Amino acid sequence: MAAYVDHLAVERGLAANTLASYRRDLERYARWLDARGRTALHEVVEADVAGFLADLREGGGSHPQLSAASAGRAVVAVRGLHRFALREGWTAVDPAREVRPPAPARRLPKALSVTQVEQLLAAPDASTSLGLRDRALLELLYGTGARISEAVGLAVDDLHRDTGLVRLDGKGGKQRLVPVGSFAGRAVEAYLVRGRPVLAAAGTGTPALFLNARGGRLSRQSAWTVLRRVADRAGLGVEVSPHTLRHSFATHLLDGGADVRVVQELLGHASVTTTQVYTLVTVDRLREVYATTHPRARR
């Protein structure tokens, strides 16, 4: 199994967090097989793989019941392992080929309204260096659809201020250039001119764009704290996460008529299928507007 994880890291270039999840899932699978006397992959049959999936979904004394999404991720890891073993000649058959991951319940992303986003972005105190940073961070998250890890990973040089673009390092080391809107551009510029130099003076020098009060790179966890604090200050009354801004970015683009494949590129999704979940949000919105405004839709 270690060889397969190495393959994922080196040849597939999976992110560290994804690799850690795969490793945990495969270790659980190895323990499950070992408890049933399967000490080598060539001994595994389809019933073993199907039984592992059923055990994940049902739970037991050794672990709680897993959601369809978590169980599905584990099965994907197991299927990949057996494909790899077959390709490497370790086994003669693939016992996981016919075992399908459970279909997860489709959960629509939560998006803020444009008014709520405006309330949130107006909440930081722009008279302080930290407030300038917070506004720039939130404007950039909403203005580019960046993941929180992508935003805190930015260096000053990743901003192409002359062209209004920012270079984001996405999952698996994939880079993309995304336009920075005028509001986000002005907020970032104000932070760079009046906020970041003050914060940087407390540190030892770092190319990071977003700094903490000690002059070091702002961490992902601290960025979460910033968002929660600003959301409380804005009085939104709803739970907000960094992904909420990413969802809102995509939903508002589609509401405005953007093509789903353009949104896919902006979000850095490998497949348009991932992006299409946002189209369900906009369809729900269209249905709501129709039901409340069309004279022949009301009952």
Side-chain angles (χ1 to χ4, degrees), residues 175-241:
Q175 293 186 339
R176 66 188 188 279
L177 287 173
V178 178
V180 177
S182 59
F183 283 85
R186 286 194 293 271
V188 171
E189 192 66 26
Y191 163 64
L192 287 173
V193 173
R194 295 188 282 121
R196 190 179 182 281
V198 176
L199 299 178
T204 57
T206 172
L209 174 60
F210 294 110
L211 305 181
N212 58 31
R214 299 180 301 280
R217 182 183 294 275
L218 185 71
S219 70
R220 179 177 175 173
Q221 187 58 43
S222 294
W224 271 78
T225 302
V226 166
L227 181 55
R228 290 193 188 101
R229 184 177 65 244
V230 174
D232 287 343
R233 180 175 179 140
L236 295 183
V238 297
E239 186 175 344
V240 179
S241 74

Coordinates of all heavy atoms in Angstrom, one line a residue, residues 175-241:
Q175 N -1.7 25.8 -11.1 CA -1.8 27.2 -11.0 C -2.8 27.8 -12.0 O -3.1 27.2 -13.0 CB -0.4 27.9 -11.3 CG 0.6 27.6 -10.2 CD 1.9 28.4 -10.5 OE1 2.1 28.9 -11.6 NE2 2.7 28.6 -9.4
R176 N -3.4 28.9 -11.6 CA -4.3 29.6 -12.6 C -4.3 31.1 -12.3 O -4.0 31.5 -11.2 CB -5.8 29.1 -12.4 CG -6.4 29.4 -11.0 CD -7.8 28.7 -10.9 NE -8.5 29.1 -9.7 CZ -8.3 28.7 -8.5 NH1 -7.3 27.8 -8.3 NH2 -9.0 29.1 -7.4
L177 N -4.6 31.8 -13.4 CA -4.6 33.3 -13.3 C -6.1 33.7 -13.2 O -6.9 33.2 -14.1 CB -3.9 33.9 -14.5 CG -2.4 33.9 -14.5 CD1 -1.9 34.4 -15.8 CD2 -1.8 34.7 -13.3
V178 N -6.4 34.5 -12.2 CA -7.8 34.9 -12.1 C -7.9 36.5 -12.0 O -7.0 37.1 -11.3 CB -8.4 34.3 -10.7 CG1 -9.8 34.8 -10.5 CG2 -8.3 32.8 -10.8
P179 N -8.9 37.1 -12.7 CA -9.0 38.5 -12.6 C -9.3 39.0 -11.2 O -10.1 38.3 -10.5 CB -10.1 38.8 -13.6 CG -10.3 37.6 -14.4 CD -9.8 36.5 -13.6
V180 N -8.8 40.1 -10.8 CA -9.1 40.7 -9.5 C -10.0 41.9 -9.8 O -9.6 42.9 -10.5 CB -7.9 41.2 -8.8 CG1 -8.2 41.9 -7.5 CG2 -6.9 40.0 -8.5
G181 N -11.2 41.9 -9.3 CA -12.2 43.0 -9.5 C -11.7 44.3 -9.0 O -10.8 44.4 -8.2
S182 N -12.4 45.4 -9.4 CA -12.0 46.7 -9.0 C -12.1 46.9 -7.5 O -11.2 47.5 -6.8 CB -12.8 47.8 -9.7 OG -14.2 47.6 -9.4
F183 N -13.1 46.4 -6.8 CA -13.3 46.6 -5.4 C -12.2 45.8 -4.6 O -11.6 46.4 -3.7 CB -14.7 46.1 -4.9 CG -15.8 47.0 -5.2 CD1 -16.4 47.0 -6.5 CD2 -16.2 47.9 -4.3 CE1 -17.5 47.8 -6.8 CE2 -17.3 48.8 -4.6 CZ -17.9 48.7 -5.8
A184 N -11.9 44.6 -5.0 CA -10.9 43.8 -4.4 C -9.5 44.5 -4.7 O -8.7 44.5 -3.8 CB -10.9 42.4 -4.9
G185 N -9.3 44.9 -5.9 CA -8.1 45.6 -6.3 C -7.8 46.8 -5.4 O -6.7 47.0 -4.9
R186 N -8.8 47.6 -5.2 CA -8.6 48.8 -4.3 C -8.3 48.4 -2.9 O -7.5 49.1 -2.2 CB -9.8 49.8 -4.4 CG -9.9 50.5 -5.8 CD -10.9 51.6 -5.7 NE -12.3 51.2 -5.6 CZ -13.1 50.9 -6.6 NH1 -12.6 51.0 -7.8 NH2 -14.3 50.5 -6.4
A187 N -9.0 47.4 -2.4 CA -8.8 47.0 -1.0 C -7.4 46.4 -0.8 O -6.8 46.7 0.2 CB -9.9 45.9 -0.6
V188 N -7.0 45.6 -1.7 CA -5.6 45.1 -1.6 C -4.6 46.2 -1.8 O -3.6 46.2 -1.0 CB -5.4 44.0 -2.7 CG1 -3.9 43.6 -2.8 CG2 -6.3 42.8 -2.5
E189 N -4.8 47.2 -2.6 CA -3.9 48.3 -2.8 C -3.8 49.1 -1.5 O -2.7 49.5 -1.1 CB -4.3 49.2 -4.0 CG -3.2 50.2 -4.4 CD -2.0 49.5 -5.0 OE1 -2.1 48.4 -5.5 OE2 -0.9 50.2 -4.9
A190 N -4.9 49.4 -0.9 CA -4.9 50.1 0.4 C -4.2 49.4 1.5 O -3.4 50.0 2.2 CB -6.4 50.4 0.8
Y191 N -4.3 48.1 1.5 CA -3.6 47.2 2.5 C -2.1 47.3 2.2 O -1.3 47.4 3.1 CB -4.2 45.8 2.4 CG -3.3 44.8 3.1 CD1 -3.0 44.8 4.4 CD2 -2.7 43.8 2.3 CE1 -2.2 43.9 5.0 CE2 -1.9 42.8 2.9 CZ -1.7 42.9 4.3 OH -0.8 41.9 4.9
L192 N -1.7 47.1 0.9 CA -0.3 47.1 0.6 C 0.4 48.5 0.9 O 1.5 48.5 1.4 CB -0.1 46.8 -0.9 CG -0.4 45.4 -1.3 CD1 -0.3 45.3 -2.8 CD2 0.6 44.4 -0.7
V193 N -0.4 49.5 0.8 CA 0.2 50.9 1.0 C 0.2 51.3 2.5 O 1.2 51.8 3.0 CB -0.5 51.9 0.2 CG1 -0.1 53.3 0.5 CG2 -0.3 51.7 -1.3
R194 N -1.0 51.0 3.2 CA -1.1 51.5 4.5 C -1.2 50.5 5.6 O -1.0 50.8 6.8 CB -2.4 52.4 4.6 CG -2.4 53.6 3.7 CD -3.6 54.5 3.9 NE -4.7 54.0 3.2 CZ -5.9 53.6 3.8 NH1 -6.0 53.7 5.1 NH2 -6.9 53.2 3.1
G195 N -1.4 49.2 5.3 CA -1.5 48.2 6.3 C -0.4 47.3 6.4 O 0.2 47.1 7.5
R196 N 0.0 46.7 5.3 CA 1.1 45.6 5.3 C 2.4 46.2 5.8 O 3.1 45.5 6.6 CB 1.2 45.0 3.9 CG 2.1 43.8 4.0 CD 2.3 43.1 2.6 NE 3.1 41.9 2.6 CZ 4.4 41.9 2.7 NH1 5.1 43.1 2.7 NH2 5.1 40.8 2.8
P197 N 2.8 47.4 5.4 CA 4.1 47.9 6.0 C 4.2 47.9 7.5 O 5.2 47.6 8.1 CB 4.3 49.3 5.4 CG 3.5 49.2 4.1 CD 2.3 48.3 4.4
V198 N 3.0 48.3 8.1 CA 3.0 48.3 9.6 C 3.1 46.9 10.2 O 3.9 46.7 11.1 CB 1.6 49.0 10.0 CG1 1.5 49.0 11.6 CG2 1.5 50.4 9.5
L199 N 2.4 46.0 9.6 CA 2.5 44.6 10.1 C 3.9 44.0 9.8 O 4.4 43.3 10.7 CB 1.4 43.7 9.4 CG 0.0 44.2 9.7 CD1 -1.0 43.2 8.9 CD2 -0.4 44.1 11.2
A200 N 4.4 44.3 8.7 CA 5.7 43.7 8.3 C 6.8 44.2 9.2 O 7.8 43.5 9.4 CB 6.1 44.1 6.8
A201 N 6.7 45.4 9.8 CA 7.7 46.0 10.6 C 7.9 45.2 11.9 O 9.0 45.2 12.5 CB 7.3 47.4 11.0
A202 N 6.9 44.4 12.3 CA 7.0 43.6 13.5 C 7.6 42.2 13.2 O 7.9 41.5 14.2 CB 5.6 43.3 14.1
G203 N 7.9 41.9 11.9 CA 8.5 40.6 11.6 C 9.9 40.7 11.1 O 10.5 41.7 11.2
T204 N 10.3 39.5 10.6 CA 11.7 39.5 10.1 C 11.8 39.4 8.6 O 12.9 39.2 8.0 CB 12.4 38.2 10.6 OG1 11.6 37.0 10.2 CG2 12.5 38.2 12.2
G205 N 10.7 39.7 7.9 CA 10.6 39.7 6.5 C 10.1 38.4 5.9 O 10.7 37.4 6.1
T206 N 9.0 38.6 5.1 CA 8.4 37.4 4.4 C 7.8 37.9 3.2 O 7.2 39.0 3.2 CB 7.4 36.7 5.3 OG1 6.7 35.7 4.6 CG2 6.4 37.7 5.9
P207 N 7.8 37.2 2.1 CA 7.1 37.6 0.9 C 5.6 37.4 0.9 O 4.9 37.8 0.0 CB 7.7 36.7 -0.2 CG 8.1 35.4 0.6 CD 8.5 35.9 1.9
A208 N 5.1 36.8 2.0 CA 3.6 36.6 2.1 C 2.8 37.8 1.9 O 3.2 38.9 2.5 CB 3.3 35.9 3.4
L209 N 1.7 37.7 1.3 CA 0.8 38.9 1.1 C 0.1 39.2 2.4 O 0.2 40.4 2.8 CB -0.2 38.6 0.0 CG -1.3 39.7 -0.2 CD1 -0.7 41.0 -0.6 CD2 -2.3 39.2 -1.3
F210 N -0.5 38.2 3.0 CA -1.3 38.5 4.2 C -0.5 38.1 5.4 O -0.1 37.0 5.6 CB -2.6 37.7 4.1 CG -3.6 38.2 3.0 CD1 -3.8 37.4 1.9 CD2 -4.1 39.5 3.1 CE1 -4.7 37.9 0.9 CE2 -5.0 39.9 2.1 CZ -5.2 39.1 1.0
L211 N -0.3 39.1 6.3 CA 0.5 39.0 7.5 C -0.3 39.0 8.7 O -1.4 39.6 8.8 CB 1.6 40.1 7.5 CG 2.5 40.3 6.3 CD1 3.4 41.4 6.6 CD2 3.2 39.0 6.0
N212 N 0.2 38.4 9.8 CA -0.4 38.4 11.1 C 0.1 39.6 11.9 O 1.0 40.3 11.4 CB -0.3 37.1 11.9 CG 1.1 36.7 12.1 OD1 2.0 37.5 12.2 ND2 1.4 35.4 12.1
A213 N -0.3 39.8 13.1 CA 0.1 40.9 13.9 C 1.6 40.9 14.2 O 2.2 41.9 14.6 CB -0.7 41.0 15.2
R214 N 2.2 39.7 14.1 CA 3.7 39.5 14.4 C 4.5 39.7 13.2 O 5.7 39.4 13.2 CB 3.9 38.2 15.1 CG 3.2 38.1 16.4 CD 3.5 36.7 17.1 NE 3.1 35.6 16.2 CZ 1.8 35.2 16.1 NH1 0.8 35.8 16.8 NH2 1.5 34.1 15.3
G215 N 3.9 39.9 12.0 CA 4.6 40.1 10.8 C 4.9 38.9 10.1 O 5.7 38.9 9.1
G216 N 4.4 37.7 10.5 CA 4.5 36.5 9.8 C 3.3 36.2 8.9 O 2.4 36.9 8.9
R217 N 3.4 35.1 8.2 CA 2.3 34.7 7.3 C 1.1 34.4 8.0 O 1.1 33.7 9.0 CB 2.7 33.5 6.4 CG 1.6 33.1 5.4 CD 2.0 31.9 4.6 NE 3.2 32.1 3.8 CZ 3.1 32.6 2.5 NH1 1.9 32.9 2.0 NH2 4.2 32.7 1.8
L218 N -0.1 35.0 7.6 CA -1.3 34.6 8.2 C -1.7 33.2 8.0 O -1.6 32.7 6.8 CB -2.4 35.5 7.6 CG -3.8 35.4 8.2 CD1 -3.9 36.1 9.6 CD2 -4.9 36.1 7.3
S219 N -2.0 32.4 9.0 CA -2.3 31.0 8.9 C -3.8 30.8 8.4 O -4.6 31.7 8.5 CB -2.1 30.3 10.2 OG -3.1 30.7 11.1
R220 N -4.0 29.6 7.9 CA -5.4 29.3 7.5 C -6.4 29.4 8.6 O -7.5 29.9 8.5 CB -5.4 27.9 6.9 CG -6.7 27.4 6.4 CD -6.6 26.0 5.8 NE -7.9 25.5 5.5 CZ -8.1 24.3 4.8 NH1 -7.0 23.7 4.4 NH2 -9.3 23.9 4.5
Q221 N -6.0 28.9 9.8 CA -6.9 29.0 11.0 C -7.1 30.4 11.4 O -8.3 30.8 11.7 CB -6.3 28.2 12.1 CG -7.2 28.0 13.3 CD -8.5 27.4 13.0 OE1 -8.5 26.4 12.3 NE2 -9.6 27.9 13.5
S222 N -6.1 31.2 11.3 CA -6.3 32.6 11.7 C -7.2 33.3 10.7 O -8.0 34.2 11.1 CB -5.0 33.4 11.8 OG -4.2 32.8 12.8
A223 N -7.1 33.0 9.4 CA -8.0 33.5 8.4 C -9.5 33.2 8.7 O -10.4 34.0 8.5 CB -7.6 33.1 7.0
W224 N -9.7 31.9 9.2 CA -11.0 31.5 9.6 C -11.5 32.4 10.7 O -12.7 32.8 10.7 CB -11.0 30.1 10.0 CG -11.2 29.1 9.0 CD1 -10.3 28.6 8.1 CD2 -12.5 28.3 8.7 NE1 -10.9 27.6 7.3 CE2 -12.2 27.5 7.6 CE3 -13.7 28.3 9.3 CZ2 -13.2 26.6 7.1 CZ3 -14.7 27.5 8.8 CH2 -14.4 26.6 7.7
T225 N -10.6 32.7 11.7 CA -11.0 33.5 12.8 C -11.4 34.9 12.4 O -12.3 35.5 12.9 CB -9.8 33.5 13.8 OG1 -9.5 32.2 14.2 CG2 -10.2 34.4 15.1
V226 N -10.6 35.4 11.4 CA -10.9 36.8 10.9 C -12.3 36.8 10.3 O -13.1 37.7 10.6 CB -9.9 37.1 9.8 CG1 -10.4 38.3 9.0 CG2 -8.5 37.4 10.4
L227 N -12.6 35.8 9.5 CA -13.9 35.8 8.9 C -15.1 35.7 9.9 O -16.1 36.4 9.8 CB -14.0 34.6 7.9 CG -15.3 34.5 7.1 CD1 -15.7 35.7 6.4 CD2 -15.2 33.3 6.1
R228 N -14.9 34.8 10.9 CA -15.9 34.7 11.9 C -16.1 36.0 12.7 O -17.3 36.4 13.0 CB -15.6 33.6 12.9 CG -15.6 32.2 12.3 CD -15.6 31.1 13.4 NE -15.4 29.8 12.9 CZ -14.3 29.1 12.8 NH1 -13.2 29.7 13.2 NH2 -14.3 27.9 12.3
R229 N -15.0 36.6 13.0 CA -15.1 37.9 13.8 C -15.8 39.0 12.9 O -16.7 39.7 13.4 CB -13.7 38.3 14.2 CG -13.7 39.6 15.0 CD -12.3 40.0 15.5 NE -11.4 40.3 14.3 CZ -10.4 39.7 14.0 NH1 -10.0 38.6 14.6 NH2 -9.6 40.1 12.9
V230 N -15.4 39.1 11.7 CA -16.0 40.1 10.8 C -17.5 39.8 10.6 O -18.3 40.7 10.6 CB -15.3 40.2 9.5 CG1 -16.0 41.2 8.5 CG2 -13.8 40.7 9.7
A231 N -17.9 38.5 10.4 CA -19.3 38.1 10.2 C -20.1 38.5 11.4 O -21.2 39.0 11.3 CB -19.4 36.6 9.9
D232 N -19.5 38.3 12.6 CA -20.3 38.7 13.9 C -20.4 40.2 13.9 O -21.5 40.7 14.3 CB -19.5 38.2 15.1 CG -19.5 36.7 15.3 OD1 -20.4 36.1 14.7 OD2 -18.7 36.2 16.1
R233 N -19.4 40.9 13.5 CA -19.5 42.4 13.5 C -20.5 42.9 12.5 O -21.2 43.9 12.7 CB -18.1 42.9 13.2 CG -18.0 44.5 13.1 CD -16.6 45.0 12.9 NE -16.6 46.4 12.9 CZ -15.6 47.1 13.4 NH1 -14.6 46.6 14.1 NH2 -15.6 48.4 13.3
A234 N -20.6 42.2 11.4 CA -21.6 42.6 10.3 C -23.0 42.2 10.7 O -23.9 42.8 10.1 CB -21.2 41.9 9.0
G235 N -23.2 41.4 11.7 CA -24.5 41.0 12.2 C -25.3 40.2 11.2 O -26.5 40.4 11.1
L236 N -24.7 39.3 10.4 CA -25.4 38.6 9.4 C -26.4 37.6 9.9 O -27.4 37.3 9.3 CB -24.4 37.9 8.5 CG -23.4 38.8 7.7 CD1 -22.5 37.9 6.8 CD2 -24.2 39.8 6.8
G237 N -26.1 37.1 11.1 CA -27.0 36.1 11.7 C -27.0 34.7 11.0 O -27.9 33.9 11.2
V238 N -26.1 34.5 10.1 CA -25.9 33.2 9.5 C -24.5 32.7 9.6 O -23.6 33.5 9.8 CB -26.3 33.2 8.0 CG1 -27.8 33.6 7.8 CG2 -25.4 34.2 7.2
E239 N -24.3 31.4 9.5 CA -23.0 30.8 9.6 C -22.2 31.1 8.3 O -22.7 30.9 7.2 CB -23.0 29.3 9.9 CG -21.7 28.7 10.1 CD -21.8 27.2 10.5 OE1 -22.9 26.8 10.8 OE2 -20.8 26.5 10.4
V240 N -21.0 31.6 8.5 CA -20.2 32.0 7.3 C -18.8 31.3 7.4 O -18.2 31.3 8.5 CB -20.0 33.5 7.2 CG1 -19.1 33.9 6.0 CG2 -21.4 34.2 7.1
S241 N -18.4 30.7 6.3 CA -17.0 30.1 6.3 C -16.3 30.7 5.0 O -17.0 31.3 4.2 CB -17.2 28.6 6.2 OG -17.6 28.2 4.9

